[in-house]
Amino acid sequence: GAPLGPPGIRTMGLLPVIAGALLLKLILERTGAGSPREAAVAGVLLMPGFTLLGPAMTGWAAASAICGFALLPKGWKGLAGTAVLGLFLMAMKMRYAGAAGGMALVWFLENTRSAKVRVMVPLALAGLAGAVLALDRLALDGALIWTRYGNTETLMALRMNLLHRPEVLLEGTLHMMLDFEAGLVPKAPWVLAALTGIPLLRRTDRTVFRRLALPGILYAAVHLLWTGEAWHGLPAPATRVFMPMLPLLVAGLSRVWDRRTTRLLLALSLAVSALTAAIPGARFNLALGTDNLLAALNVRGQWVSMVRPDAAAVALWALLAGTATALCHLNHGTGLRTL
């Protein structure tokens, strides 16, 4: 698209979005979701920054790869596809290594039955990975993997965050969900409804659940473990870091699509996405502790901020998020009006 200038680049960037939406719809149809088309469209429109801005980034390509993995056949027939998609993810961004590892883990769990094999193969793969890292560092001066981001000590961040700064991981997990500048729930409240639908997806289709959940969750875990406090990648639209989890969240949303509380959260999410599209400055936060969308609307309150931590604010919004999730769950049997 570059020869055609910005319009060409943006048009080419929409291709993985279209592919991801179509693959999502196909997955939802196979799982028996009631409104597959609507849920897939919601996934496209209700993650601020995508596709209303920035679809040329790699997030939708990663989401499409995970959707494609969920549709692969079982057994050795799916091995080649799993390998290709995993390598594709790592070639795009090393931060997708967790998702690629999740794909490999799913294939391994689905196609091995022997307890001995399940123990020995991971050990052998871990040894192989260690040997490759050592060879790269000692013989190639880290050119293959270690210096992917220009720093030979990049992978040491994994050890530091895991062994020496576990509190950073806990705080990062909370802020990934609740921070008003970059967190998932303030930008996409519909995720709370999706969380109640994920257990229903697991009961309905364990294969699809496993193939969406393990890559998505392992991606988020490795991303946080690697980047620590810098997980958000601001000032670029922070929702891009959540895209590999989008297929799982949309699949969960589709299981509770017709509930009243889900519709309420979808309406709120649509308002957030529309305002983010209409107010250019709202798309980019600078990790200053102030959300640009709230500032533009002159809305004040006690918000969760990773820059200015406040335990009371975190507890309050965690309680509100938990209550909303519980309402989505209870709404199945009692109805919103009664609650």
Side-chain angles (χ1 to χ4, degrees):
L4 300 179
I9 294 174
R10 288 188 58 80
T11 300
M12 292 299 294
L14 286 172
L15 294 180
V17 180
I18 296 170
L22 293 174
L23 289 171
L24 261 177
K25 176 177 174 289
L26 183 58
I27 291 172
L28 299 180
E29 288 175 343
R30 290 192 178 186
T31 61
S35 303
R37 182 183 305 172
E38 291 82 354
V41 170
V44 171
L45 296 180
L46 301 184
M47 192 68 82
F50 299 88
T51 63
L52 300 174
L53 183 79
M57 295 181 180
T58 60
W60 266 103
S64 299
I66 293 175
C67 289
F69 170 68
L71 296 170
L72 290 176
K74 289 186 177 182
W76 294 98
K77 291 181 179 180
L79 179 59
T82 301
V84 168
L85 291 173
L87 291 173
F88 169 72
L89 286 172
M90 295 183 65
M92 282 198 301
K93 289 280 187 180
M94 280 300 291
R95 63 186 173 93
Y96 296 138
M103 291 180 179
L105 179 60
V106 169
W107 186 91
F108 179 69
L109 292 175
E110 289 182 350
N111 296 282
T112 58
R113 294 292 180 264
S114 169
K116 183 178 180 179
V117 171
R118 289 190 171 188
V119 172
M120 296 304 295
V121 170
L123 290 176
L125 291 176
L128 177 62
V132 170
L133 289 172
L135 178 64
D136 179 39
R137 184 66 179 269
L138 297 174
L140 303 176
D141 198 25
L144 182 63
I145 299 173
W146 291 86
T147 60
R148 187 67 182 267
Y149 287 106
N151 180 2
T152 56
E153 302 301 331
T154 295
L155 294 182
M156 291 301 175
L158 296 171
R159 177 176 63 84
M160 291 296 296
N161 287 330
L162 181 62
L163 300 179
H164 300 283
R165 304 196 303 164
E167 71 283 356
V168 170
L169 302 180
L170 177 60
E171 293 171 359
T173 301
L174 290 172
H175 290 145
M176 284 180 79
M177 293 300 294
L178 299 175
D179 180 78
F180 269 73
E181 282 190 279
L184 182 57
V185 172
K187 301 301 181 185
W190 62 269
V191 166
L192 296 175
L195 294 178
T196 66
I198 289 174
L200 301 178
L201 171 67
R202 181 177 180 272
R203 290 198 290 267
T204 302
D205 194 321
R206 284 177 176 258
T207 297
V208 169
F209 166 78
R210 185 167 49 240
R211 292 184 175 198
L212 297 181
L214 282 178
I217 293 172
L218 284 179
Y219 156 76
V222 172
H223 175 68
L224 179 60
L225 189 61
W226 191 338
T227 57
E229 300 100 324
W231 61 266
H232 46 76
L234 295 177
T239 46
R240 76 188 192 281
V241 305
F242 302 112
M243 295 306 291
M245 294 183 284
L246 183 68
L248 174 65
L249 294 171
V250 171
L253 178 69
S254 70
R255 314 313 300 183
V256 294
W257 180 263
D258 292 326
R259 299 184 184 182
R260 295 179 182 178
T261 39
T262 300
R263 296 299 177 86
L264 181 63
L265 289 170
L266 284 170
L268 180 59
S269 301
L270 181 60
V272 174
S273 287
L275 288 169
T276 302
I279 304 173
R283 303 165 186 167
F284 308 98
N285 284 309
L286 300 175
L288 299 175
T290 302
D291 179 66
N292 287 339
L293 177 58
L294 294 175
L297 298 175
N298 197 28
V299 176
R300 303 182 184 276
Q302 191 176 24
W303 316 119
V304 176
S305 172
M306 58 187 168
V307 179
R308 300 183 180 88
D310 185 331
V314 172
L316 172 63
W317 284 100
L319 177 62
L320 290 174
T323 301
T325 305
L327 288 176
C328 290
H329 176 71
L330 294 174
N331 183 225
H332 177 62
T334 57
L336 180 60
R337 182 176 300 177
T338 301
L339 290 170

